[in-house]
Amino acid sequence: MTNQPFFIPAALIGLMSIPLILALVPKNRFFGIRTAGTLSDDKVWYRANRFGGLLFLVSSVVYLVFASMYPMTGSRDARFSLWLGHLFFFAAPLFASVLCVMGFLRRL
């Protein structure tokens, strides 16, 4: 499993999202969802980071499930199309998560 193209980034994103979900990360300028609104209010900081952390964890799990179902094996031609599938299932959930977090922040 660790030889899959995006395994390490997906695993790191998943692991880094857990402290955000558990509200273990205080307001700071280095880690978490940092906007003017989240940095100005503790309640907003923890709500936004819990929501974002959950979405990023789900994004990581989506890729890891895909990678376990379709591991990178086979011929070079087949591997390129499979690599594109891995890229899609890594990037698309992350992009959707960012859009959802931005929408959530607008409603806070």
Side-chain angles (χ1 to χ4, degrees):
M1 181 72 161
T2 58
N3 61 345
Q4 301 308 305
F6 302 104
F7 173 79
I8 292 175
L12 288 175
I13 290 168
L15 288 173
M16 291 174 67
S17 66
I18 292 171
L20 296 174
I21 294 168
L22 299 175
L24 298 175
V25 180
K27 277 193 305 187
N28 67 81
R29 294 205 172 265
F30 304 105
F31 182 61
I33 298 170
R34 301 168 315 275
T35 65
T38 59
L39 291 172
S40 66
D41 184 7
D42 281 341
K43 184 178 179 181
V44 173
W45 169 266
Y46 287 111
R47 284 185 68 199
N49 280 287
R50 182 173 285 133
F51 181 73
L54 183 62
L55 289 179
F56 289 129
L57 181 62
V58 169
S59 298
S60 294
V61 169
V62 166
Y63 172 71
L64 293 173
V65 167
F66 177 82
S68 68
M69 291 174 61
Y70 300 99
M72 292 287 288
T73 57
S75 69
R76 179 176 283 181
D77 294 334
R79 288 181 58 166
F80 180 70
S81 60
L82 186 56
W83 183 87
L84 288 176
H86 278 257
L87 176 63
F88 177 80
F89 278 93
F90 176 72
L94 286 176
F95 183 70
S97 296
V98 169
L99 291 178
C100 288
V101 168
M102 290 171 53
F104 181 77
L105 288 172
R106 279 190 218 117
R107 286 180 264 135
L108 287 179

